[in-house]
Amino acid sequence: GAPLPFQPDLVSILDLLDDATVRAAWQSVPAEMRTDLTAWFSGERNGSLAMALDAAAQGPVSVLALGLALDVLWPEGALDETSDQVLARGRIETHISGRPVDAHAARTYASTARSLVVRMESLGDPAVPDVMQQAEALLADLGWQQGAQWSTVLPAGLTARLRALADALQFTSSADLLDRMANVEGALTELLQHDLARPHDKRIEAARMAVRLARWICTHEAGTTAVPESLGASLADYLDDGAWVDRAVALVWDGTTDPVVAASYRTVLDAVAALRRAQDNRAAQLLAEATHRDEAPTGAVLIEHVLEHVVTPIAKSHRPLVILLDGMSAPVATEIAEAVAADTWVEAVPEGRGARLPVLAALPTLTKHSRTAFFTGELGDGAQAAERAAMTSRFGAPLFHKDALRAPGGEALNAAVIAAINDPKIAVVGAVLNTIDDALDKQDPGGTRWGLDNIQHLRHLLDAAALAGRAVVLTSDHGHVVERGSEARPTPGADARWRSSGTGPVADGEVLVRGRRVAGGEAVLAWREDLRYTSLRSG
């Protein structure tokens, strides 16, 4: 089946012979002719090519699968041999020529087969899973099933490396983890060297994030982190550090289906939760004190001041499009910012802080309080009409909510939105996107990886702004917590995460806030993530 003229080399021979039809044709050739052709193709020096031709003549086993088996029988580098491995080397002779296998030829064959399979896998070749299964089955038939765990290509090798990392992460205390970190880092390195350890594979992302969380736990054990002494410092600490921790938690939370690995991940997550709970408790007390004193946090901005203090100064030169993503938490913001930056945008941050700017929502942190405050510049309740009127009166700016963003069939954005963005006389344009907040009811906000393509209208708004030469300000009105097993405290008249101070004394996981920035003057807020007052929701 090879086109003529044919210049055989090991790559082309393996590629051809991995086709069962070609192998069958080769096997139908008279034995004496196969022997002569094998000698002619391989010459005196190419023993690996002769091995491939001999193996193809023996039976139905994929020649690439045989190469993957050879890859662990005669591995690269100096590894301790086992008796089962040595015995399996003898048994594989019957799958090739029946004669002793030359180690150098086996190694050349194995390397070439492995490279071909890795290339096929990266291209999504549907034959790869069958080749992998045959290789693992062959090693089992040779009496060395555990040899597949040594492979840098086979799924069994990836599983073994994930479990080795899980074993290293089975710690009993932060001090124990600190002692284990060299083994943890080594196990992660081994895992990432496996050819199937693709960066965007959910299992690999979870493993990397589990190790990042382990490092974070160790920094607290080592006492290298300062405890924030003010609300502003606490907000900045969360935006710069805690948000990334919570993002890593989201990736690790459902990062594996292997119960052995999952058990270790739970150990890491429990330790992180304990540390994060202490941070949240401290932040809640600082919030209560600052709110009672009516003290604006240093290094942060109140949500009712964002347009005036952040957007207005850049409006004359950059004509910003302000996109408020309703319910976007700080961990989600880290994902979205990365996605936007990968789409050719450049992120700008306040010069004084040199990092993203924390914004303190109105209390309780509900859309009707915080989003209204954002657009009107004043505390109080409001609806979409009030927000649009405020933007018109304050900045002469149009504001587009969900219905106004919808377009006729075939159009990505409403023509009025595009016209406003393109108008050089309009200094500021506003838009509200509800996808994240909507996901809190029945979807899975924790298991969703947020980006440009699963937030309705976001990519199209960014593209329109780029074409019009506008800067973009991404912000939120409030964040959210994810439902991962919670304690219900049913309270008449309460909302999901807050209740009236008249419904009972402050209990564990709660904080009383009172002052000008609290709707109604005072309220009891849940600071523990796993506490709710109403029925179960996704977030």
Side-chain angles (χ1 to χ4, degrees):
L4 297 177
F6 180 55
Q7 297 295 327
D9 56 43
L10 186 55
V11 173
S12 59
I13 285 289
L14 285 175
D15 192 35
L16 273 171
L17 293 177
D18 206 56
D19 185 323
T21 304
V22 175
R23 281 202 304 278
W26 176 240
Q27 291 161 14
S28 69
V29 173
E32 186 177 0
M33 182 180 288
R34 277 205 312 268
T35 300
D36 288 346
L37 285 172
T38 299
W40 180 54
F41 278 142
S42 59
E44 295 181 357
R45 299 181 180 180
N46 203 334
S48 55
L49 197 152
M51 285 179 67
L53 291 166
D54 286 338
Q58 297 303 315
V61 176
S62 156
V63 291
L64 291 179
L66 183 79
L68 298 185
L70 292 171
D71 190 42
V72 293
L73 288 168
W74 282 274
E76 289 179 322
L79 295 174
D80 294 335
E81 295 181 349
T82 68
S83 57
D84 288 341
Q85 180 186 13
V86 173
L87 289 172
R89 285 175 176 174
R91 297 185 185 116
I92 204 171
E93 294 170 3
T94 60
H95 292 275
I96 304 174
S97 62
R99 299 186 299 274
V101 175
D102 177 77
H104 177 72
R107 186 60 251 153
T108 303
Y109 184 150
S111 296
T112 305
R114 186 179 69 188
S115 297
L116 275 170
V117 172
V118 170
R119 185 183 70 184
M120 291 164 62
E121 195 274 336
S122 67
L123 295 173
D125 192 316
V128 170
D130 183 58
V131 171
M132 303 279 200
Q133 290 171 11
Q134 285 193 51
E136 293 185 1
L138 177 58
L139 287 165
D141 289 344
L142 297 174
W144 195 42
Q145 185 172 6
Q146 65 270 33
Q149 299 175 11
W150 290 24
S151 174
T152 60
V153 182
L154 296 175
L158 187 68
T159 298
R161 284 161 174 75
L162 282 165
R163 290 188 171 185
L165 175 61
D167 183 63
L169 285 170
Q170 276 289 13
F171 59 95
T172 57
S173 66
S174 297
D176 179 33
L177 177 60
L178 200 56
D179 292 337
R180 288 170 168 262
M181 279 309 294
N183 290 337
V184 170
E185 298 288 359
L188 179 63
T189 299
E190 288 286 326
L191 171 64
L192 297 180
Q193 288 173 347
H194 195 281
D195 289 313
L196 295 184
R198 307 293 187 197
H200 298 298
D201 184 322
K202 190 172 184 179
R203 297 168 299 172
I204 304 307
E205 281 189 315
R208 290 178 54 248
M209 290 300 166
V211 174
R212 291 182 71 173
L213 290 173
R215 295 174 190 143
W216 185 78
I217 294 168
C218 288
T219 63
H220 286 266
E221 170 64 22
T224 58
T225 57
V227 177
E229 297 296 333
S230 67
L231 178 58
S234 182
L235 293 171
D237 181 63
Y238 181 69
L239 200 58
D240 298 342
D241 183 64
W244 296 93
V245 173
D246 287 353
R247 175 178 171 183
V249 165
L251 284 162
V252 175
W253 190 268
D254 58 356
T256 182
T257 57
D258 186 327
V260 175
V261 179
S264 287
Y265 286 176
R266 278 194 295 274
T267 300
V268 174
L269 292 170
D270 288 346
V272 170
L275 290 168
R276 285 284 297 107
R277 182 171 288 194
Q279 291 179 331
D280 289 345
N281 188 7
R282 174 65 175 160
Q285 308 314 313
L286 292 170
L287 173 68
E289 294 166 7
T291 304
H292 184 62
R293 295 193 300 264
D294 199 14
E295 177 182 284
T298 303
V301 61
L302 302 178
I303 195 160
E304 60 268 30
H305 296 158
V306 173
L307 286 178
E308 180 184 353
H309 293 173
V310 179
V311 176
T312 300
I314 64 172
K316 292 182 180 179
S317 56
H318 293 87
R319 300 168 43 249
L321 168 63
V322 179
I323 304 176
L324 186 147
L325 295 103
D326 198 338
M328 178 178 68
S329 63
V332 171
T334 67
E335 290 188 88
I336 294 173
E338 278 186 15
V340 174
D343 197 46
T344 73
W345 287 82
V346 176
E347 182 175 2
V349 295
E351 193 171 16
R353 221 178 85 76
R356 294 169 189 164
L357 185 65
V359 176
L360 182 61
L363 305 175
T365 57
L366 301 175
T367 295
K368 67 178 182 178
H369 301 320
S370 289
R371 201 173 76 190
T372 300
F374 179 88
F375 289 114
T376 65
E378 299 175 352
L379 296 168
D381 295 353
Q384 293 182 8
E387 295 167 4
R388 288 193 295 270
M391 284 290 282
T392 301
S393 63
R394 295 178 71 194
F395 305 104
L399 173 61
F400 299 96
H401 291 88
K402 183 185 295 186
D403 289 341
L405 290 166
R406 292 193 178 103
E411 296 181 34
L413 283 176
N414 191 298
V417 178
I418 296 176
I421 292 173
N422 288 338
D423 191 339
K425 296 188 293 295
I426 299 178
V428 179
V429 177
V432 175
L433 304 184
N434 298 92
T435 303
I436 298 170
D437 199 54
D438 290 346
L440 304 183
D441 279 329
K442 295 181 181 179
Q443 296 178 32
D444 179 18
T448 301
R449 302 281 64 84
W450 297 102
L452 300 187
D453 295 317
N454 58 357
I455 297 178
Q456 190 178 23
H457 304 304
L458 179 56
R459 180 182 290 279
H460 301 306
L461 286 170
L462 289 168
D463 289 347
L467 289 171
R470 289 185 182 269
V472 171
V473 176
L474 294 177
T475 187
S476 179
D477 50 356
H478 60 82
H480 66 264
V481 295
V482 178
E483 168 59 40
R484 296 191 177 109
S486 57
E487 174 192 341
R489 292 182 189 169
T491 305
D495 207 307
R497 296 275 296 164
W498 73 279
R499 62 182 177 83
S500 168
S501 57
T503 56
V506 177
D508 173 55
E510 299 177 331
V511 63
L512 174 67
V513 291
R514 53 166 60 100
R516 179 184 62 86
R517 299 192 75 253
V518 183
E522 64 179 28
V524 176
L525 312 181
W527 61 259
R528 260 180 39 199
E529 284 198 0
D530 61 349
L531 179 60
R532 59 183 169 85
Y533 303 114
T534 53
S535 59
L536 197 65
R537 298 168 57 192
S538 296

